[in-house]
Amino acid sequence: MPVRRGHVAPQNTFLGVIIRKFEGQNKKFIIANARVQNCAIIYCNDGFCEMTGFSRPDVMQKPCTCDFLHGQSTSRHAVAQVAQALLGSEERKVEITYHRKDGSNFLCNTHIIPVKNEEGVVMMFILNFDYILEEGSSDSLEKLNHASPSKSSLLGSTSDSNLNKYSTINKIPLITLNFSEVNNEKKCPSPPSSEKTIIAPKVKDRTHNVTDKVTQVLSLGADVLPEYKLQTPRIDKWTILHYSPFKAVWDWLILLLVIYTAIFTPYSAAFLLNDIEERIRRECGYSCSPLNVVDLMVDIMFIVDILINFRTTYVNANEEVVSHPAKIAIHYFKGWFLIDMVAAIPFDLLIFGSGSDETTTLIGLLKTARLLRLVRVARKLDRYSEYGAAVLMLLMCIFALIAHWLACIWYAIGNVEKPYLEHKIGWLDNLGVSIGKKYNYSDPNSGPSIKDKYVTALYFTFSSLTSVGFGNVSPNTNSEKIFSICVMLIGSLMYASIFGNVSAIIQRLYSGTARYHLQMLRVKEFIRFHQIPNPLRQRLEEYFQHAWTYTNGIDMNMVLKGFPECLQADICLHLNKSLLQGCKAFRGATKGCLRALAMRFKTTHAPPGDTLVHCGDVLTALYFVSRGSIEILKDDIVMAILGKNDIFGEMIHIYPKPGKSCADVRALSYCDLHTIQREEILEVLDMYPEFADHFFNNLELTFDLRDENSKVIKLSLHYSPTPLASPYCSNCWGI
């Protein structure tokens, strides 16, 4: 699976912050668009609806002066103060009496708060409403208790999970957040009780600063006051994105170091720690042992990797990118920190100054703890499981690595038992006899070399894993026999889990070729069953081969059906981008019109010699050439040759019904054409009538295929005062 990037696109976090802070305090508020006439309401929370008795559809798009709440008890002076605050884009608190939907009134404190974008322009207003309890008014107390239901504890939660579940932000149409400076004349009219129409002043007038009181109301620090804009996730300067190129290169470097560790750590622990020459090199220091220098560099890189992991973002359960350093540290401590820490301990430094065999053996065992990092690497390699060749190579490497580990264990068993055997029957003694390098226990340097011992041990483990061995290297002691039994069991399991899937992996490698041959076989069976003659048969086979080469057997329509319609429209808009941008007829269309048109365009691929339209065919579509050359033939006479950006068909807006083609249209080369059906384009133009005139005035056909004779016949059929004879009329056949 690919790396989870999380929600990294720029987001408008303004409403999320407002809802989390206000609803957490059980506030009643509305948000209004400050850029339109009457400052229409674009959002109201549940607390406001419960306080006023109006539903959200009743409140949306109403003026933020809340004229629908005005009544007999509403003071004209208070209404004027609210209107003045909105006109001046200033913060103000106004005590005002409103009326609920049921007619009852309540006194509240209305707090008008202007909110700016990053350019200092006031984009919206927040109106917060707080009850004011009048002395001796039991009705207000009763209404206040009614407006504070038991779910306030739920709204008090500001966690992201609760916000995603219960926040009403999801009910806001996205279009209400896209403000522009155009004048919208189709606004909801103000109620009759409105004292004044609020006209949005010029942009330069809306630059009033947000005061500290606004910050206090929002319960935020002055440095984190939200702005109404698209905000990318705030990343600390030293924080590393988990999908950044640097992190990808670093992960590959750590992967190579882990592979090095997986190979050389068991080898060093088994073969080198007890070797005399290796001990002399260690006593000399790092300058005499290049392998120790490399191990030290690996330890340093692992320590650096730990520091990098403390500053690397991650994706949480809500698919959100977490970049806060404290949260990253806690997540890392709960995850891979312990394994990475153990793997980064420089055990080689502990070897110096300790010459006892027990200490050397202990250090060798501790060094194998580095292999725990392979678990983390295995999880990262899972993303490549969809590639058959990568899986096959990975399985072979795993098999060789396990054989290498078992060879190290096989040598360690023989080396530990060798001094304690009364009869020298171990496999190391037999190896020394067979190659003429017998062990002389008075001479520590006698016996086979390290190369001989490692190659023989690796040969034994490979032969035991792949078969039952050949007997030239055989276990003799009980420990060696028990280990050999375990190796055979591991080999059988590896056969079942690895080599049993090789055939499936290879089949997946050639799945594309298999699908091609299967589809080609179906085409040939179709040709044979219907006895299609040779020229048409050849055209079928050539078209299939060309289409497969061009699309690789992928049916775009089937792929698109798996996505939601909004994403389908975006994909189709991208696929037809060159046509919609290059053709003059589409340049005046709105984005919604272009998306509707793109959804209805179909792409056609034609090989050379293929006839796209025959003479006499009904012209049911418009054709736009995007690649290749096309010739138009009439009675085998070339009437025109069309190329890229040419259009042919008929003028669909002139005739109520489709006509017939007056010529043949044939491909001269491999061609790509965008086609759209007559009914579908007329349907789109009906939905966007303001674009229809522009389209028809700018649509220029390179060649009009409509047959004028068929048009005259169709008109005579439509307007003939006398009915034409029917072929089933007996008088017409002279009967």
Side-chain angles (χ1 to χ4, degrees), residues 174-296:
L174 183 59
I175 192 172
T176 61
L177 301 180
N178 298 327
F179 300 133
S180 61
E181 299 183 28
V182 298
N183 294 328
N184 193 345
E185 298 178 356
K186 297 181 179 180
K187 296 297 175 184
C188 297
S190 301
S193 59
S194 177
E195 295 290 337
K196 183 184 296 185
T197 300
I198 305 300
I199 306 296
K202 297 180 180 179
V203 175
K204 64 180 181 180
D205 296 334
R206 293 192 175 252
T207 56
H208 185 74
N209 293 330
V210 179
T211 61
D212 294 336
K213 292 183 180 180
V214 181
T215 305
Q216 296 174 2
V217 171
L218 293 174
S219 300
L220 297 168
D223 56 334
V224 294
L225 180 64
E227 293 179 335
Y228 188 82
K229 64 177 182 178
L230 292 177
Q231 298 177 352
T232 56
R234 295 186 178 180
I235 305 297
D236 189 77
K237 181 180 179 181
W238 302 106
T239 301
I240 301 171
L241 293 174
H242 63 282
Y243 55 86
S244 63
F246 168 77
K247 190 62 170 63
V249 174
W250 179 261
D251 286 343
W252 277 103
L253 178 61
I254 294 298
L255 173 62
L256 296 177
L257 296 180
V258 170
I259 293 175
Y260 166 83
T261 302
I263 295 174
F264 281 92
T265 296
Y267 176 79
S268 177
F271 287 90
L272 301 182
L273 291 181
N274 294 317
D275 186 69
I276 303 298
E277 296 180 0
E278 192 66 23
R279 288 183 180 179
I280 296 175
R281 290 177 182 175
R282 293 195 194 97
E283 293 175 358
C284 177
Y286 281 99
S287 59
C288 300
S289 179
L291 190 61
N292 288 340
V293 176
V294 175
D295 287 343
L296 180 61

Side-chain angles (χ1 to χ4, degrees), residues 237-386:
K237 181 180 179 181
W238 302 106
T239 301
I240 301 171
L241 293 174
H242 63 282
Y243 55 86
S244 63
F246 168 77
K247 190 62 170 63
V249 174
W250 179 261
D251 286 343
W252 277 103
L253 178 61
I254 294 298
L255 173 62
L256 296 177
L257 296 180
V258 170
I259 293 175
Y260 166 83
T261 302
I263 295 174
F264 281 92
T265 296
Y267 176 79
S268 177
F271 287 90
L272 301 182
L273 291 181
N274 294 317
D275 186 69
I276 303 298
E277 296 180 0
E278 192 66 23
R279 288 183 180 179
I280 296 175
R281 290 177 182 175
R282 293 195 194 97
E283 293 175 358
C284 177
Y286 281 99
S287 59
C288 300
S289 179
L291 190 61
N292 288 340
V293 176
V294 175
D295 287 343
L296 180 61
M297 294 177 61
V298 171
D299 293 336
I300 294 174
M301 295 296 286
F302 283 171
I303 294 174
V304 174
D305 182 59
I306 293 176
L307 300 178
I308 289 178
N309 288 330
F310 272 114
R311 304 297 299 182
T312 303
T313 61
Y314 70 95
V315 181
N316 61 11
N318 295 328
E319 294 293 326
E320 297 173 346
V321 178
V322 178
S323 59
H324 194 275
K327 293 182 180 179
I328 294 176
I330 294 174
H331 179 264
Y332 186 47
F333 271 120
K334 292 181 178 179
W336 298 95
F337 172 75
L338 182 60
I339 293 177
D340 292 347
M341 190 64 190
V342 173
I345 295 176
F347 293 104
D348 291 340
L349 298 177
L350 303 177
I351 295 178
F352 295 112
S354 57
S356 63
D357 294 340
E358 293 79 5
T359 305
T360 302
T361 304
L362 178 62
I363 296 302
L365 293 176
L366 291 176
K367 287 185 67 176
T368 58
R370 294 181 177 180
L371 300 180
L372 294 174
R373 290 186 73 104
L374 285 175
V375 180
R376 187 174 183 180
V377 172
R379 293 189 60 184
K380 291 184 178 181
L381 291 178
D382 181 63
R383 70 188 64 164
Y384 304 104
S385 60
E386 56 186 281

Side-chain angles (χ1 to χ4, degrees), residues 498-548:
I498 297 179
F499 293 101
N501 296 324
V502 170
S503 59
I505 294 172
I506 295 177
Q507 184 178 2
R508 188 168 59 178
L509 288 175
Y510 298 98
S511 60
T513 305
R515 286 190 296 113
Y516 169 79
H517 288 295
L518 179 61
Q519 294 292 339
M520 193 65 182
L521 180 62
R522 291 177 179 176
V523 172
K524 291 182 178 180
E525 287 294 329
F526 176 82
I527 294 173
R528 183 187 62 80
F529 182 78
H530 293 282
Q531 298 180 355
I532 296 177
N534 190 34
L536 189 56
R537 168 186 177 180
Q538 186 176 1
R539 288 178 57 192
L540 277 174
E541 293 179 351
E542 288 180 356
Y543 177 80
F544 173 76
Q545 293 174 357
H546 163 70
W548 189 277

Side-chain angles (χ1 to χ4, degrees), residues 59 108 259 302 319 394 416 621 680 687 718:
V59 178
C108 72
I259 293 175
F302 283 171
E319 294 293 326
L394 183 62
V416 170
E680 291 182 342
M687 292 188 295
H718 185 71

